[in-house]
Coordinates of all heavy atoms in Angstrom, one line a residue:
S1496 N 16.1 -41.8 24.2 CA 15.5 -42.2 22.9 C 14.0 -41.5 22.8 O 13.6 -41.4 21.7 CB 15.4 -43.6 22.7 OG 14.6 -44.1 23.8
G1497 N 13.4 -41.2 23.9 CA 12.1 -40.7 23.8 C 11.0 -41.6 23.5 O 11.3 -43.0 23.4
P1498 N 9.8 -41.4 23.4 CA 8.7 -42.3 22.9 C 8.4 -42.5 21.7 O 7.4 -42.9 21.3 CB 7.5 -41.5 23.8 CG 7.8 -40.1 23.6 CD 9.3 -40.0 23.7
E1499 N 9.3 -42.2 20.7 CA 9.0 -42.3 19.3 C 8.8 -43.7 18.9 O 9.4 -44.7 19.3 CB 10.1 -41.7 18.3 CG 10.3 -40.4 18.6 CD 11.4 -40.0 19.7 OE1 11.6 -40.7 20.5 OE2 11.9 -38.8 19.7
P1500 N 7.7 -44.0 18.1 CA 7.5 -45.3 17.7 C 8.6 -45.7 16.6 O 9.3 -44.8 16.0 CB 6.0 -45.2 17.1 CG 6.0 -43.9 16.6 CD 6.7 -43.0 17.6
S1501 N 8.6 -47.0 16.3 CA 9.6 -47.4 15.3 C 8.8 -47.7 13.9 O 7.8 -48.1 13.9 CB 10.2 -48.8 15.7 OG 11.0 -49.3 14.7
Y1502 N 9.5 -47.2 12.8 CA 9.0 -47.4 11.6 C 9.4 -48.7 11.0 O 10.2 -48.9 10.2 CB 9.5 -46.3 10.5 CG 8.9 -45.0 10.9 CD1 9.7 -43.8 11.3 CD2 7.5 -44.7 10.7 CE1 9.1 -42.6 11.6 CE2 7.0 -43.4 10.9 CZ 7.7 -42.5 11.3 OH 7.1 -41.2 11.6
T1503 N 8.8 -49.7 11.7 CA 9.2 -51.1 11.3 C 8.6 -51.7 9.9 O 7.5 -51.3 9.8 CB 8.7 -52.1 12.5 OG1 9.2 -51.6 13.7 CG2 9.3 -53.4 12.4
T1504 N 9.4 -52.4 9.3 CA 8.9 -53.1 8.1 C 9.0 -54.5 8.2 O 9.5 -55.0 9.2 CB 9.7 -52.7 6.9 OG1 8.9 -53.0 5.7 CG2 11.0 -53.0 6.7
G1505 N 8.6 -55.3 7.3 CA 8.7 -56.8 7.4 C 7.7 -57.4 6.5 O 7.3 -56.9 5.5
P1506 N 7.2 -58.6 6.9 CA 6.1 -59.3 6.0 C 4.9 -58.5 5.9 O 4.4 -57.7 6.8 CB 5.8 -60.5 6.9 CG 7.1 -60.8 7.8 CD 7.5 -59.4 8.0
H1507 N 4.4 -58.4 4.5 CA 3.3 -57.6 4.2 C 2.7 -58.3 3.0 O 3.1 -59.1 2.3 CB 3.7 -56.0 3.9 CG 4.8 -55.9 3.0 ND1 6.1 -55.8 3.2 CD2 4.8 -56.1 1.6 CE1 6.9 -55.8 2.2 NE2 6.1 -56.0 1.2
L1508 N 1.5 -57.6 2.7 CA 0.8 -58.1 1.5 C 1.3 -57.1 0.3 O 1.6 -56.1 0.5 CB -0.8 -58.0 1.7 CG -1.5 -58.7 2.9 CD1 -2.8 -58.2 3.1 CD2 -1.3 -60.1 2.6
T1509 N 1.0 -57.7 -0.9 CA 1.3 -56.8 -2.0 C 0.3 -56.9 -3.2 O -0.4 -57.9 -3.3 CB 2.8 -57.3 -2.7 OG1 2.6 -58.7 -3.1 CG2 3.9 -57.1 -1.8
Y1510 N 0.2 -55.9 -3.9 CA -0.7 -55.9 -4.9 C -0.1 -55.3 -6.1 O 0.7 -54.2 -6.0 CB -1.9 -55.0 -4.8 CG -2.7 -54.4 -5.9 CD1 -3.4 -55.3 -6.8 CD2 -2.6 -53.0 -6.3 CE1 -3.9 -54.9 -8.0 CE2 -3.2 -52.6 -7.5 CZ -3.9 -53.5 -8.3 OH -4.4 -53.0 -9.5
T1511 N 0.0 -55.9 -7.2 CA 0.7 -55.5 -8.4 C -0.2 -55.2 -9.4 O -1.0 -56.1 -10.0 CB 1.8 -56.6 -8.9 OG1 2.7 -56.8 -7.8 CG2 2.5 -56.2 -10.1

Side-chain angles (χ1 to χ4, degrees):
S1496 62
E1499 295 88 344
S1501 174
Y1502 290 111
T1503 307
T1504 188
H1507 52 259
L1508 301 169
T1509 58
Y1510 159 67
T1511 298

